[in-house]
């Protein structure tokens, strides 16, 4: 809806990604603007703040080459919207929702504002349906359910993309008591779709993901903002991706898995804009509103009562300095329903996926496992594995002090259990395991060490 | 008073409207967004807007209402699910679908519903604000209809059977009609005749709280914990099992899925004290993390006003807020958009005074109607990075009566509730568990200090055991370690997903008594020369199975 467009040549200052325009009448917060550089280059932007007739704009794109005299700004009188259609599936877009796969542009069936609307809490359905990721340590001990947001906390140098790839290749939605035939039918019907948002990825990383996406049997939509592409677009990319995901889920009834990688790049972009706006910095320079901003993304996961479709989210967060108390993983953990934490020491032992079970958690697991969801003994097996592994890990510290010879037989057994747990249960290489196989492996280890109660 | 928008920055709008009052409620823009005046300059008013300002344009109108931000109080609040501005979320869902797209004001009370009214006064009586006119039955409670503030005079008539809220319940001789509900400014505490010191216990059903760190009815407790320490589960357990009449649960800037879970569960689960569904005694006030930030700031005031209203009927009300840190962050966000000078970590310097002002709305009071009710508060705190030295935890500490510190290390060991027994404290006294004395003879104060002592000693012994191994310890020390472990695993931890999620006071006391009796007995036997191994397996004891 473009009621009226106004063009202004009254740019008063430019600071990094921000542009100030004077004498503007009736600007709106969030209004889309088009900025034309002296050379005729056109950039998109958005109104961030209005003070009288002075308007602060955020420019999506590179502001190099803009000046005060020759730059003009067009106010479009509409807020940022995303063009949506089922034909998005199978397509690759850039961070500004322009196709980059060489295929023709998309014909939208509808448009929706990119910031989305909050789901009315009383309209949410509680997430209970099990998603089989094929990864033992997730399915067995940190179960993912439809509508959940479960981030992967990684450290630089750890194979987070391989972990995500394993999930992408193997994830299956298992309805209540769904037989394997039924499950295949669900998949073939194309009701399961992956929305992939790449934020600040290097070409090397992206090429890896692209191969994985193309090999998948289910459909995907990709939104790609590369490491050398405009930082400001990084704030928009996940919003486009989530708007697309919500459309496919709640208008088209699909089960959507949203992968966003890497949220750390997103938060750094947020900090960049915040400092350019000369806002008071919070912890580590990140803005004080980062919690609310992250929540406006993560909280878009969910299910709706009496409606088909779901948005499940798997964001990847690389913890700066391997520090889980850093504001990015910290605030993420406060919003998401658990976390899958990768560990450097497991990775060094050659264990894949190198998931550290102790700090990992799935808050929604309890409702999605057991009879009618997975298997009756799931809860018991998972609790025992966790308990003994935690004990074994504790004992490793003792072993480092007194040496193995100084320990009781029971303690030695517990140490061996921890090794077997890591080597057989956590480690699975590239293989896919059904949840039943996962539970059987767990039971087998428990029985071997005669630890089961 | 009307004016026009001159500037917009995040949730803060400035307008050229003069003559507005501080904290007056205003409608902003064509979309009629609700806002509150937070600062007045000569020709400019600064307004905090409670809705998303996206799409708002300068020069759109701003209209004053002449009244401050209020909640509507009357029958029908109970079992309701409201947002931070008391908009009924279920009605909103039925009218405009699963997403919150509009800022439309909705009546929080159902005006078309019939209520059977029993009057307690008659024509000719003189009425003062706060006097009881009569009552209706709301679920299991007598919901008293009070004379609204600012209404005073001789009664000319009063309804005597069914009422609907859209018509008055009575009228004064001067013609003033008396509605069955009234609007109350959220930031003003409701008046009472007298405040009493909290002295009655509040059973939470959590052994570690009820036994080690008891909370009194009318008291306050804070519960800080990093993520994954089980704050929400504990909050919800308390909401389910606490022996109060009414629970007001505030989901303040937290997860939507958790609220969905809570609603579905509360519709099914029974209150252990009355055997009615939990929803019948619950009021939810929900502003999830993705809902507008400024409304999050208002939500705790909206909720506490509703809680006070029921307290005034002589009921015991418990308000749970998850989490007060999100409220403080909203306050910080608003403060920074007002360009106020920041205090510690960017929080405004009035954080502590606002918090203590809020916490003081808890208490045991005699209302104007002469009834004694209580309002207790349990607030969870989400300290960044799990660091308890941060300003919100520290400000809460100064005014709250109990400090229940949730410990990441305990949570990693899957010890829930992960309340650290060394650093938590409660200022409420020992008389709180006296009622069970007759059923379970136990000196509470003594048992409590013994229990703490055992745990303290275990901590010291554990360091030794790390080096020499458990086998290297003396037998009495090994016995103590065994007892401490029993206390930790069998007594202090409770699984929220089993029957043990709720522990009645007599059960709490008999478990700890069993453990302490075992310790006494085993210590005696040990001195008599019975080997430790036999004692630990229970063989060497005389009495039958003291330990559960």
């Amino acid at each position: 809806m473009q009621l009226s467009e106004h063009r202004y040549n009254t740019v008063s200052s430019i600071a990094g990604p921000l542009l100030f325009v004077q004498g503007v009448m009736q600007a709106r917060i969030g209004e889309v603007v088009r900025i034309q550089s002296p050379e005729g280059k056109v950039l998109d932007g958005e109104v961030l703040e209005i003070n009288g007739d002075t308007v602060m704009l955020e420019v999506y794109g590179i502001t190099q080459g803009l000046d005060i005299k020759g730059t003009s700004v067009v106010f479009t009188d509409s807020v940022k919207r995303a063009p949506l259609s089922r034909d998005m599936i199978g397509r690759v877009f850039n961070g500004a929702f322009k196709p980059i796969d060489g295929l023709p542009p998309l014909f939208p069936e509808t448009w929706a504002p990119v910031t989305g609307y909050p789901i009315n809490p009383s309209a949410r359905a509680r997430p209970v349906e099990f998603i089989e990721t094929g990864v033992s340590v997730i399915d067995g001990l940190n179960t993912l359910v439809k509508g959940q947001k479960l981030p992967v906390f990684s450290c630089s140098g750890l194979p987070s993309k391989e972990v995500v790839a394993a999930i992408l290749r193997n994830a299956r939605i298992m309805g209540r008591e769904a037989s394997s035939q039924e499950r295949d039918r669900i998949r073939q019907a194309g009701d399961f779709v992956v929305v992939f948002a790449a934020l600040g990825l290097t070409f090397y990383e992206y090429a890896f993901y692209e191969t994985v996406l193309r090999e998948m049997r289910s459909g995907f939509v990709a939104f790609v903002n590369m490491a050398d592409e405009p930082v400001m677009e990084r704030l928009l990319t996940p919003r486009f991706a989530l708007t697309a995901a919500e459309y496919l889920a709640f208008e088209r009834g699909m089960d959507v898995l949203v992968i966003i990688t890497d949220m750390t790049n997103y938060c750094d972009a947020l900090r960049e804009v915040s400092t350019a706006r000369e806002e008071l910095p919070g912890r580590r320079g990140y803005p004080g509103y980062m919690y609310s901003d992250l929540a406006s993304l993560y909280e878009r996961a969910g299910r709706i009562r009496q409606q088909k479709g779901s948005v499940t989210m798997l964001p990847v967060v690389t913890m700066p300095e391997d520090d889980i108390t850093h504001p990015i993983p910290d605030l993420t953990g406060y919003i998401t329903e658990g976390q899958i934490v990768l560990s450097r020491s497991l990775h060094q032992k050659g264990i894949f996926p190198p998931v550290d079970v102790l700090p990992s958690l799935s808050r929604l697991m309890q409702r999605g496992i057991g009879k009618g969801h997975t298997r009756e003994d799931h809860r018991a097996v998972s609790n025992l594995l966790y308990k003994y592994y935690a004990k074994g890990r504790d004992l490793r510290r003792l072993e480092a002090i007194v040496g193995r010879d100084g320990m009781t037989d029971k303690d030695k057994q517990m140490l061996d259990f921890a090794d077997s747990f890591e080597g057989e249960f956590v480690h699975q290489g590239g293989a896919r395991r059904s949840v039943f196989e996962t539970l059987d492996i767990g039971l087998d280890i428990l029985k071997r060490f005669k630890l089961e109660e | 008073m009307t004016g026009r928008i001159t500037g917009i920055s995040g949730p803060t709008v400035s307008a050229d409207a003069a003559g507005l009052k501080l904290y007056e409620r205003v409608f902003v823009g064509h979309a009629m967004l609700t806002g509150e005046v937070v600062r007045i300059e000569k020709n400019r008013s600064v307004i905090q807007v409670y809705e998303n300002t996206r799409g708002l344009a300068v020069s759109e109108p701003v209209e004053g209402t002449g009244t401050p931000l209020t909640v509507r109080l009357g029958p029908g609040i109970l079992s309701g699910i409201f947002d931070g501005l008391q908009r009924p979320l279920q009605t909103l869902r039925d009218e405009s679908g699963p997403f919150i797209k509009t800022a439309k004001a909705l009546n929080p009370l159902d005006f078309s519903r019939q209520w059977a009214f029993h009057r307690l006064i008659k024509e000719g009586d003189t009425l003062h604000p706060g006097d009881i006119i009569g009552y209706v039955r709301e679920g299991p409670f007598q919901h008293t209809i009070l004379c609204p503030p600012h209404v005073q005079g001789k009664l000319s008539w009063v309804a005597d059977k069914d009422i609907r809220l859209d018509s008055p319940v009575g009228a004064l001789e001067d013609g003033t009609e008396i509605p069955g509900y009234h609007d109350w400014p959220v930031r003003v505490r409701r008046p009472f005749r007298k405040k009493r010191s909290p002295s009655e216990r509040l059973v939470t059903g959590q052994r570690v709280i009820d036994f080690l760190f008891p909370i009194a009815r009318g008291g306050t407790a804070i519960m800080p914990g990093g993520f994954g320490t089980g704050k929400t589960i504990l909050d919800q357990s308390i909401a389910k099992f606490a022996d109060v009449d009414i629970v007001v649960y505030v989901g303040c800037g937290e997860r939507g899925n958790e609220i969905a879970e809570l609603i579905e569960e509360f519709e099914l689960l029974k209150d252990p004290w009355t055997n009615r569904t939990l929803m019948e005694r619950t009021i939810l006030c929900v502003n999830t993390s993705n809902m507008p930030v400024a409304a999050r700031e208002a939500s705790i005031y909206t909720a506490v006003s509703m809680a006070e209203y029921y307290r005034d009927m002589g009921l015991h009300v418990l308000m749970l807020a998850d989490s007060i840190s999100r409220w403080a962050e909203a306050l910080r966000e608003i403060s920074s958009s007002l360009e106020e000078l920041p205090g510690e970590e960017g929080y405004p310097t009035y954080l502590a005074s606002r918090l203590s002002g809020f916490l003081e709305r808890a208490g045991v009071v005699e209302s104007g109607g002469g009834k004694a009710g209580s309002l207790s508060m349990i607030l969870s705190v989400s300290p960044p990075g799990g660091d308890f030295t941060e300003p919100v935890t520290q400000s809460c500490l100064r005014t709250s009566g109990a400090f229940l510190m949730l410990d990441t290390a305990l949570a990693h060991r899957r010890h829930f509730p992960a309340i650290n027994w060394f650093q938590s404290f409660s200022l409420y006294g020992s008389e709180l568990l006296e009622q069970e004395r007759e059923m379970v003879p136990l000196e509470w104060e003594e048992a409590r200090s013994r229990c703490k002592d055992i745990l303290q000693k275990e901590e010291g012994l554990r360091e030794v055991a790390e080096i020499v191994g458990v086998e290297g310890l003396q037998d009495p020390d090994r016995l103590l370690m065994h007892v401490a472990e029993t206390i930790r695993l069998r007594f202090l931890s409770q699984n929220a997903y089993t029957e043990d999620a709720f522990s009645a006071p007599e059960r709490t006391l008999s478990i700890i008594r069993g453990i302490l009796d075992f310790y006494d007995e085993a210590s005696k036997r040990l001195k008599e020369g019975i080997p430790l191994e036999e004692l630990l397996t229970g063989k060497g004891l005389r009495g039958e199975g003291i330990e559960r």
Side-chain angles (χ1 to χ4, degrees):
Chain A
M1 201 170 51
Q2 294 185 356
L3 294 174
S4 53
E5 292 197 342
H6 304 275
R7 180 182 290 271
Y8 292 93
N9 297 305
T10 46
V11 175
S12 63
S13 62
I14 306 168
L18 301 182
L19 206 70
F20 293 82
V21 191
Q22 281 182 332
V24 182
M25 310 285 287
Q26 302 208 345
R28 279 177 199 287
I29 290 288
E31 183 172 352
V32 176
V33 294
R34 283 197 307 274
I35 299 128
Q36 196 164 16
S37 77
E39 295 96 43
K41 193 172 73 170
V42 176
L43 298 166
D44 273 352
E46 191 180 310
V47 175
L48 272 191
E49 203 176 297
I50 310 166
N51 191 2
D53 64 356
T54 305
V55 172
M56 175 167 51
L57 307 174
E58 174 179 40
V59 184
Y60 299 120
I62 295 160
T63 45
Q64 189 183 348
L66 297 187
D67 70 353
I68 287 181
K69 242 169 105 188
T71 303
S72 65
V73 180
V74 175
F75 286 75
T76 62
D77 200 40
S78 62
V79 296
K80 195 93 188 160
R81 280 162 188 273
L84 300 168
S85 146
R86 212 198 145 109
D87 299 337
M88 294 183 294
I89 297 173
R91 302 291 306 268
V92 182
F93 303 93
N94 70 3
F97 217 151
K98 303 266 157 46
I100 51 168
D101 49 9
L103 296 169
L106 197 70
F107 286 102
E109 283 161 29
T110 182
W111 294 75
V114 293
T115 44
Y117 298 106
I119 303 179
N120 184 327
S122 71
R124 275 184 189 266
R126 82 179 188 196
V128 288
E129 288 165 272
F130 172 62
I131 298 180
E132 192 179 74
T133 62
V135 177
S136 289
V137 71
I138 298 179
D139 292 346
L141 271 74
N142 297 288
T143 317
L144 177 70
V145 293
K146 258 179 20 183
Q148 183 173 13
K149 39 197 183 291
L150 188 65
V152 175
F153 284 3
S154 181
C155 310
S156 46
L158 294 190
S160 61
K161 63 178 188 300
E162 284 79 5
V163 174
V164 171
I167 297 170
L168 282 178
R169 283 195 195 104
N170 299 326
R172 264 162 226 188
I173 290 187
M174 206 161 93
R176 280 177 195 221
E177 317 275 359
S179 69
S180 64
Q181 263 180 341
E182 264 179 288
R183 265 182 268 146
D184 282 346
R185 190 185 52 75
I186 292 169
R187 276 169 60 75
Q188 276 156 12
D191 283 354
F192 179 58
V193 121
V194 171
V195 171
F196 181 80
L199 307 178
L201 288 196
T202 62
F203 182 77
Y204 176 69
E205 289 167 317
Y206 174 64
F208 172 86
Y209 277 120
E210 203 191 0
T211 317
V212 176
L213 289 171
R214 299 251 177 239
E215 282 169 359
M216 274 180 1
R217 279 192 292 160
S218 52
F220 73 90
V221 190
F223 294 87
V224 184
N225 168 273
M226 304 287 277
D228 57 352
E229 285 180 325
V231 171
M232 291 312 112
E233 259 176 37
R234 224 160 273 169
L235 300 179
L236 217 49
T237 315
R239 295 194 160 81
F240 277 129
L242 286 163
T243 307
E246 277 173 354
Y247 168 78
L248 294 172
F250 302 126
E251 305 275 324
R252 295 280 167 182
M254 297 179 176
D255 288 311
V256 185
L257 177 65
V258 183
I259 311 268
I260 306 180
T261 175
D262 186 318
M263 283 306 291
T264 306
N265 295 333
Y266 173 86
C267 293
D268 285 351
L270 196 68
R271 177 167 65 177
E272 225 177 295
V273 180
S274 170
T275 40
R277 289 178 73 172
E278 299 181 358
E279 289 170 335
L280 280 174
R283 274 207 301 157
R284 302 258 188 144
Y286 294 96
Y289 51 79
M290 192 157 87
Y291 176 84
S292 304
D293 189 278
L294 285 174
S296 75
L297 299 177
Y298 294 142
E299 274 292 319
R300 291 172 80 172
R303 284 170 66 232
I304 290 174
R305 277 191 193 198
Q306 285 141 17
Q307 215 169 303
K308 272 179 75 185
S310 62
V311 175
T312 308
M313 215 187 289
L314 213 68
V316 177
V317 174
T318 300
M319 300 182 283
E321 300 154 37
D322 300 6
D323 178 10
I324 200 166
T325 67
H326 183 281
I328 300 172
D330 189 49
L331 295 180
T332 298
Y334 271 123
I335 304 164
T336 54
E337 286 124 1
Q339 63 277 338
I340 303 291
V341 183
L342 303 190
S343 137
R344 211 175 272 286
S345 69
L346 287 181
H347 178 56
Q348 270 153 3
K349 283 187 192 171
I351 288 166
F352 181 85
V355 175
D356 187 353
V357 171
L358 299 188
S360 298
L361 170 75
S362 165
R363 289 168 189 272
L364 301 179
M365 169 177 182
Q366 296 297 333
R367 315 278 175 208
I369 60 170
K371 210 174 166 188
H373 299 281
T374 54
R375 207 165 78 182
E376 206 169 353
D377 60 350
H378 192 155
R379 191 162 298 137
V381 171
S382 126
N383 287 345
L384 283 178
L385 288 173
Y386 185 95
K387 186 170 143 194
Y388 294 134
Y389 179 60
K391 212 160 207 173
R393 282 270 296 263
D394 260 355
L395 287 168
R396 277 187 195 162
R397 281 208 306 271
L398 181 60
E399 189 192 10
I401 304 169
V402 300
R404 195 180 160 93
D405 296 340
M407 300 176 75
T408 63
D409 286 346
K410 210 177 142 208
D411 286 353
K412 281 183 203 160
Q413 205 184 18
M414 207 59 97
L415 283 171
D416 294 340
F417 170 83
D419 290 338
S420 296
F421 176 78
E422 287 175 0
E424 297 165 41
F425 187 88
V426 180
H427 180 68
Q428 66 181 85
R432 178 181 203 285
R433 287 187 196 151
S434 76
V435 67
F436 304 117
E437 289 171 81
T438 292
L439 293 176
D440 287 343
I441 292 170
L443 266 180
D444 179 61
I445 304 174
L446 287 170
K447 279 190 186 133
R448 203 178 327 142
F449 290 92
K450 297 192 177 55
L451 292 168
E452 92 266 44
E453 276 170 3
Chain B
M1 260 306 143
T2 57
R4 303 217 156 260
I5 299 175
T6 57
I8 311 165
S9 164
T12 310
V13 164
S14 39
D16 61 4
L20 292 173
K21 289 197 277 282
L22 198 62
Y23 287 107
E24 178 174 344
R25 184 180 192 156
V26 289
F27 290 117
V28 178
H30 296 304
M32 302 276 282
L33 310 178
T34 294
E36 225 180 357
V37 179
V38 289
R39 182 187 292 170
I40 297 173
E41 287 157 19
K42 208 171 173 191
N43 295 314
R44 192 174 81 112
S45 303
V46 182
I47 296 151
Q48 159 185 338
V49 180
Y50 288 122
E51 323 267 354
N52 196 336
T53 51
R54 228 177 143 74
L56 203 63
V58 281
S59 83
E60 284 192 26
V62 170
E63 198 186 315
T65 62
T67 56
L69 188 69
T70 55
V71 277
R72 183 153 289 179
L73 302 171
I77 295 177
L78 207 58
S79 311
I81 305 170
F82 304 98
D83 75 355
L85 299 175
Q86 212 201 9
R87 281 190 300 176
L89 288 171
Q90 287 152 308
T91 316
L92 189 67
R93 175 193 70 199
D94 297 341
E95 283 186 8
S96 54
F99 291 91
I100 304 177
K101 293 185 181 176
T102 64
K104 199 171 124 189
L106 282 173
N107 191 346
L109 302 178
D110 182 359
F111 273 20
S112 63
R113 186 164 159 191
Q114 290 269 352
W115 297 92
F117 178 70
H118 305 270
R119 64 177 186 184
L120 295 173
I121 51 168
K122 54 183 190 309
E123 286 86 13
D125 286 355
T126 307
L127 210 55
H128 301 280
D131 284 354
I132 299 172
I133 301 172
Y135 64 88
V136 298
R137 197 115 207 127
E138 185 180 21
F141 305 109
Q142 275 190 9
H143 184 122
T144 46
I145 308 286
L146 302 175
C147 176
H150 318 300
V151 174
Q152 193 158 3
K154 227 173 190 177
L155 209 61
S156 68
W157 73 270
V158 62
D160 63 353
K161 41 178 197 293
D162 289 359
I163 57 162
R164 276 167 54 136
L165 294 179
D166 51 4
S167 47
V169 290
L172 300 181
E173 282 183 342
D174 63 4
T176 313
E177 291 188 333
I178 308 166
Y181 65 91
H182 62 272
D183 293 333
W184 186 263
V186 295
R187 295 187 193 277
V188 180
R189 70 155 200 224
R190 288 176 63 82
F192 45 80
R193 203 177 281 169
K194 206 170 137 195
K195 203 162 187 170
R196 297 187 196 155
S197 186
S199 61
E200 253 181 78
R201 59 144 201 222
L202 184 139
V203 176
T204 63
Q206 307 299 308
R207 288 188 286 268
V208 55
I209 300 177
D210 293 345
F211 182 73
L212 286 184
F213 311 109
I215 302 170
R217 277 178 170 169
T220 54
I222 67 158
M223 226 161 59
F227 69 80
T229 51
K231 279 191 302 293
T232 304
I233 302 272
L234 182 55
D235 249 341
Q236 295 189 359
S237 294
I238 296 173
K240 282 177 202 164
F241 304 125
D243 72 332
V244 289
D245 298 313
I246 287 175
V247 172
V248 179
Y249 190 97
V250 196
C252 183
E254 290 284 317
R255 305 175 181 94
N257 279 336
E258 279 170 2
I259 300 297
E261 203 171 296
L262 190 140
I263 295 171
E264 283 190 28
E265 255 190 299
F266 277 34
E267 281 167 354
L268 294 172
L269 291 180
K270 296 274 197 278
D271 173 2
W273 305 90
T274 61
N275 217 26
R276 291 169 200 277
T277 67
L278 285 169
M279 213 54 207
E280 286 179 70
R281 68 165 207 181
T282 308
I283 301 165
L284 287 175
C285 185
V286 182
N287 229 82
T288 54
S289 55
N290 57 338
M291 286 161 78
V293 173
R296 197 193 294 165
E297 193 276 324
S299 68
I300 64 163
Y301 294 104
T302 300
V304 78
S305 305
M306 293 192 282
E308 284 177 338
Y309 175 65
Y310 281 94
R311 172 206 69 187
D312 289 348
M313 294 172 202
L315 298 173
H316 296 293
V317 185
L318 169 64
M319 173 169 168
L320 290 150
D322 185 18
S323 116
I324 206 72
S325 296
R326 306 297 165 223
W327 167 81
E329 281 163 11
L331 197 69
R332 174 169 71 184
E333 227 166 283
I334 294 158
S335 162
S336 95
S337 69
L338 291 174
E339 297 180 353
E340 292 171 338
L341 273 181
E344 246 180 299
E345 294 200 16
Y347 289 104
T349 46
Y350 47 80
L351 171 71
S353 60
R354 288 270 172 99
L355 257 176
S356 47
F358 171 72
L359 280 159
E360 273 302 284
R361 287 176 79 166
V364 184
V365 305
E366 272 172 38
S367 65
K371 295 200 174 183
S374 71
L375 169 54
S376 321
M377 284 186 195
I378 299 178
L379 313 177
S380 69
V381 181
S382 319
D387 171 15
F388 298 112
T389 61
E390 56 93 36
V392 182
T393 312
Q394 292 303 316
S395 307
C396 283
L397 260 179
R398 281 191 264 157
T399 3
S400 68
F403 175 67
L404 308 170
M405 189 195 117
L406 299 179
D407 188 334
T408 312
L410 285 178
H412 278 181
R413 277 194 259 148
R414 295 289 198 265
H415 175 111
F416 291 110
I419 296 175
N420 181 303
W421 43 85
F422 295 124
Q423 299 192 34
S424 303
F425 65 79
S426 165
L427 304 176
Y428 301 109
S430 61
E431 64 276 20
L432 298 174
L433 277 177
E434 292 296 279
Q435 285 176 28
E436 275 67 33
R437 273 286 281 285
E438 291 186 5
M439 278 178 274
V440 188
L442 181 83
E443 287 296 333
W444 175 78
E445 195 71 75
E446 191 202 323
R448 182 165 90 143
S449 62
R450 277 191 70 192
C451 183
K452 281 186 170 172
D453 184 52
I454 291 169
L455 292 166
Q456 188 81 54
K457 282 188 176 136
E458 183 206 21
E459 192 70 4
L461 286 173
R462 197 185 298 177
E463 280 166 28
V464 181
E466 288 232 330
I467 301 164
V468 300
V470 180
E471 270 69 20
L473 293 176
Q474 302 267 316
D475 278 355
D477 290 343
R478 283 183 62 193
L479 177 63
L480 182 132
M481 298 265 301
H482 173 79
V483 171
E485 191 184 356
T486 314
I487 291 178
R488 283 190 285 108
L489 300 181
R490 294 271 170 83
F491 183 67
L492 296 179
S493 55
Q494 263 170 276
N495 187 334
Y497 298 98
T498 60
E499 292 226 317
D500 195 35
F502 168 69
S503 180
E506 52 271 30
R507 184 173 144 77
T508 298
L509 291 182
S510 60
I511 294 176
I512 191 65
R513 185 172 162 234
I515 297 174
L516 293 175
D517 283 354
F518 164 81
Y519 188 34
D520 291 341
E521 178 74 10
S523 304
K524 216 161 91 194
R525 301 282 131 205
L526 200 61
K527 274 188 201 137
E528 287 168 9
I530 300 195
L532 181 70
E533 271 63 33
E534 272 183 35
L535 290 172
L536 294 189
T537 51
K539 263 186 248 158
L541 290 176
R542 260 186 307 209
E544 76 268 49
I546 293 176
E547 198 194 347
R548 263 192 328 124

